[in-house]
Amino acid sequence: MDFGTIFASEALGTGILILLGAGVVANVLLAKSKGFEGGWLLISFGWGLGVFAGVYAAYKTGGHLNPAVTIGNLFAGFDEYAPGVPVNAANTLAYLSGQLVGAFLGACVAYLAYKRHFDAEPDEEKKLGVFSTVPAIRSYPWNFLTEVIATFVLVFVIVAFGKTPSGLGPLAAALLVVGIGASLGGPTGYAINPARDLGPRIAYALLPTQHSAEVPPKAVSADLGVGVGGHRDLPDRETAHRKDPDWSYAWVPVLGPLLGGALAGLAAQVFL
């Protein structure tokens, strides 16, 4: 399988994952949406089903959809990323670049689907939450550790799925993501995927999400799911309307999952 095929497959699958994942967060958070205030479990299941659809869409390359999964396979010592896709530097780059580009494009399409709701929503914190994760309690070392732990669980169990085939296929990975969201998603919004957070965060920085009307910001609600996390203090109207991709936090959902994936791959060599 050549570089372009790997890139396209992972970009397509990751794009569908983010379209459905960001879409369910938008459905729950944004003004006037029919799913408004649908809650944490709706978002968790939405992301899980996004994984389910994305893995099928990227079946040619094994549906990694996540640099942490690719790195986990690398550190697990596998010879192939998928049947007919040997582990080497070029193929690794194809996976990682396809995932990042796909995540960016998926976020852009989710924005288009909810364009009028973005226009109607005055709270930029909620809009950022559609695209990327924000911690409930900001503490970089602990947020980082949470992402390492959650991603370790994700990648280690996915590797175990491959060694103990059950016939469930992508459904097993989907249910695993739902379980991680329900159990470990509270502190950080469980990015567990560097491309999932970074690609959409870049999209948020570039897209025209600002609310044009002078509407007082609504009260900020508690955490509602993946990519939502906690909200920073909004002391005045200017702050509430200020667009801020929160780059100071962006390294946590990138490096934490990468480390978690690598540790899971190493652990798989010992325990699986």
Side-chain angles (χ1 to χ4, degrees):
M1 194 177 300
D2 61 23
F3 185 100
T5 301
I6 296 169
F7 178 94
S9 176
E10 286 293 311
L12 176 62
T14 309
I16 289 175
L17 162 64
I18 300 303
L19 171 59
L20 298 181
V24 73
V25 179
N27 194 20
V28 170
L29 287 188
L30 296 184
K32 301 183 179 181
S33 171
K34 290 183 179 292
F36 184 65
E37 294 185 339
W40 181 273
L41 287 180
L42 175 59
I43 290 180
S44 295
F45 273 98
W47 276 101
L49 294 174
V51 169
F52 182 76
V55 171
Y56 270 117
Y59 76 93
K60 291 181 180 179
T61 49
H64 289 194
L65 316 182
N66 182 344
V69 172
T70 302
I71 295 300
N73 277 264
L74 177 65
F75 277 78
F78 291 162
D79 295 325
E80 293 183 319
Y81 284 129
V85 186
V87 174
N88 57 45
N91 288 344
T92 301
L93 179 60
Y95 272 89
L96 300 183
S97 57
Q99 291 154 4
L100 181 60
V101 171
F104 173 84
L105 294 176
C108 291
V109 177
Y111 167 77
L112 293 176
Y114 280 89
K115 174 64 167 64
R116 295 304 300 273
H117 297 274
F118 278 102
D119 292 343
E121 176 57 63
D123 189 343
E124 281 294 328
E125 286 283 316
K126 289 185 178 182
K127 296 174 189 177
L128 174 62
V130 172
F131 291 94
S132 59
T133 58
V134 181
I137 300 175
R138 187 171 296 253
S139 174
Y140 293 125
W142 291 106
N143 302 150
F144 181 84
L145 179 61
T146 298
E147 286 293 333
V148 171
I149 292 170
T151 310
F152 179 94
V153 173
L154 173 72
V155 176
F156 185 84
V157 177
I158 285 177
V159 173
F161 287 158
K163 292 180 177 290
T164 56
S166 63
L168 291 176
L171 179 59
L175 293 175
L176 174 60
V177 170
V178 174
I180 291 173
S183 300
L184 298 172
T188 61
Y190 72 118
I192 60 175
N193 181 339
R196 169 263 173 277
D197 195 274
L198 182 59
R201 196 181 296 268
I202 294 171
Y204 171 77
L206 297 177
L207 290 169
T209 63
Q210 289 93 331
H211 180 70
S212 58
E214 281 296 323
V215 179
K218 296 179 181 178
V220 176
S221 61
D223 298 353
L224 290 174
V226 176
V228 181
H231 292 271
R232 289 164 286 171
D233 292 337
L234 301 177
D236 53 35
R237 176 178 303 189
E238 179 184 358
T239 302
H241 291 286
R242 183 182 304 143
K243 182 167 183 170
D244 177 13
D246 196 11
W247 293 117
S248 64
Y249 180 76
W251 65 274
V252 172
V254 172
L255 298 185
L258 288 177
L259 178 58
L263 292 175
L266 294 173
Q269 292 197 52
V270 177
F271 297 107
L272 297 179

